[in-house]
Amino acid sequence: MRAARLIKMVLLLQNRPAMTGAELARELEVSERTVTRDAQALSEAGVPVYAERGRAGGYRLVGGYRTRLTGLARGEAEALFLSGVPGALREMGLEDIASAARLKLSAALLPSLRDAPRAAAQRFHLDAPAWFREPEAPALLTVIADAVWDDRCVRARYRRGEGEVERELEPYGLVLKAGVWYLCARVRETGTFRTYRIDRFVAVEAVKAVEHLKDRFSRDMDFDLPGFWAEQAERFARSILRAEAVVRLSEAGVRALPHAVDPVAARDALAAAGQPDERGRTTVTLRIESEEVAYTQLTALGPEAEVLSPATLRERFAADAVRLTALYGSREG
């Protein structure tokens, strides 16, 4: 365990100019005292680890030291080959580059690990697009992907409502959600981060450097793309839930609710619900997009859900119940 930790410490310092004791302790999941002992052990073993004291101090490698301890274990090699998403790479125009990288990496692996790519491909496959839709890459995706990789500012025009809006953007990252591509970018005029559907872009061009405007931006290294996306996705889900419905659920209905309606709405409703009544039914206040959407979603729960309000939605389900009784209550034939 300690040997693996020492190797990881060297690789961390090799990839960064310097790291504090607290940063190393967090990455290595040990105490700062252990980091100090490990740094001393590396130094005694001939690895030039230099410790600087003081508030701005930390650890660094002296003289551009590089280690050759970069061999991959089987689990690491298989995990690396799992990271490729062929469809996404193809749509971003990176398929040939990724293929060449995989070939080079395969050639560099130890003979005992050469079957890692095949072993991973046999066991796992990611199919990102949703069912019953033909995936179609937006026309401007490749241009935007190039800007993301190069940290290059772009001037973009996109559809908003019935018109078009032009913005200068710093493209931070791409997200592929259920077959739809999104760009997470910072608006240069305001400094705020926004999310854009790439298929709504009308035109995108790289910004050319002028006196008051740089063609590349300095990336905020604290920007967390997965965290930003999760926050934006939940905020969007909440923003479209503008109405409410009160629903009484059976035990089976409680279990099925997150699969029938918006997961955020189901989670909030169940978290705020009281105790089940004497018949084991739970009454929840469910945020909904509209009565029409709620009708479609709650129909999937059948008799496991009883709509109490709004009255118009309850009447609609009551009318359905009468029609179902007529259909299934008849013994004709």
Side-chain angles (χ1 to χ4, degrees):
M1 286 293 292
R2 192 189 186 199
R5 188 174 72 242
L6 292 174
I7 292 172
K8 184 175 181 181
M9 183 174 179
V10 174
L11 293 175
L12 285 169
L13 293 174
Q14 182 175 292
N15 291 322
R16 305 184 194 181
M19 294 183 70
T20 66
E23 289 172 337
L24 282 168
R26 184 166 57 252
E27 291 282 354
L28 300 172
E29 299 181 348
V30 296
S31 67
E32 291 189 47
R33 181 170 295 183
T34 299
V35 169
T36 301
R37 289 198 297 265
D38 286 352
Q40 183 176 352
L42 287 170
S43 181
E44 292 172 354
V47 178
V49 177
Y50 179 71
E52 297 177 320
R53 300 189 180 278
R55 292 185 60 184
Y59 297 87
R60 63 185 178 86
L61 293 175
V62 179
Y65 177 86
R66 307 289 294 180
T67 178
R68 295 181 180 273
L69 297 174
T70 54
L72 296 176
R74 170 172 293 277
E76 294 169 334
E78 292 179 350
L80 178 61
F81 281 95
L82 283 176
S83 65
V85 185
L89 290 171
R90 182 173 56 253
E91 292 177 3
M92 289 190 291
L94 301 175
E95 185 176 27
D96 291 341
I97 295 175
S99 177
R102 285 193 294 269
L103 287 173
K104 290 179 181 179
L105 182 57
S106 295
L109 291 174
L110 294 173
S112 60
L113 302 179
R114 294 281 168 80
D115 66 334
R118 183 170 178 270
Q122 285 179 332
R123 290 162 173 80
F124 300 97
H125 174 67
L126 175 61
D127 186 7
W131 283 102
F132 310 118
R133 62 177 299 172
E134 189 69 25
E136 183 177 345
L140 296 171
L141 175 60
T142 302
V143 176
I144 295 173
D146 288 342
V148 169
W149 285 114
D150 293 340
D151 293 340
R152 187 179 295 277
C153 303
V154 298
R155 183 175 290 106
R157 193 167 75 251
Y158 65 97
R159 295 189 301 274
R160 189 170 71 180
E162 298 298 322
E164 294 182 359
V165 179
E166 186 172 292
R167 291 283 186 271
E168 288 176 356
L169 304 175
E170 297 175 355
Y172 265 67
L174 295 169
V175 175
L176 178 60
K177 170 70 171 179
V180 179
W181 283 96
Y182 295 86
L183 170 67
C184 299
R186 182 161 57 187
V187 182
R188 301 197 80 180
E189 295 89 335
T190 63
T192 57
F193 285 93
R194 299 280 302 275
T195 302
Y196 302 88
R197 273 187 62 142
I198 291 182
D199 57 9
R200 292 180 182 168
F201 282 104
V202 177
V204 176
E205 63 176 352
V207 170
K208 296 181 180 179
V210 294
E211 289 185 4
H212 67 285
L213 200 62
K214 296 180 180 179
D215 60 340
R216 283 183 167 84
F217 63 93
S218 298
R219 181 175 289 269
D220 182 354
M221 300 310 295
D222 291 331
F223 178 77
D224 175 18
L225 180 60
F228 173 78
W229 174 258
E231 180 182 336
Q232 291 293 304
E234 183 159 334
R235 183 180 301 172
F236 171 75
R238 294 183 188 280
S239 70
I240 64 174
L241 302 174
R242 302 185 180 92
E244 289 184 348
V246 179
V247 184
R248 184 182 290 139
L249 301 167
S250 67
E251 293 182 12
V254 168
R255 293 192 298 270
L257 186 67
H259 306 289
V261 304
D262 181 87
V264 173
R267 186 182 66 218
D268 291 348
L270 293 173
Q275 294 298 315
D277 61 20
E278 64 280 358
R279 296 175 59 186
R281 299 180 301 177
T282 302
T283 300
V284 300
T285 299
L286 182 68
R287 293 189 61 78
I288 59 175
E289 182 176 347
S290 66
E291 287 192 22
E292 187 65 33
V293 172
Y295 170 75
T296 301
Q297 293 174 335
L298 294 175
T299 295
L301 298 179
E304 309 304 331
E306 177 191 359
V307 175
L308 303 180
S309 70
T312 50
L313 185 59
R314 179 179 175 84
E315 290 167 2
R316 190 166 181 178
F317 276 98
D320 281 355
V322 172
R323 293 172 59 196
L324 287 170
T325 300
L327 286 173
Y328 290 101
S330 173
R331 298 287 183 177
E332 294 180 4

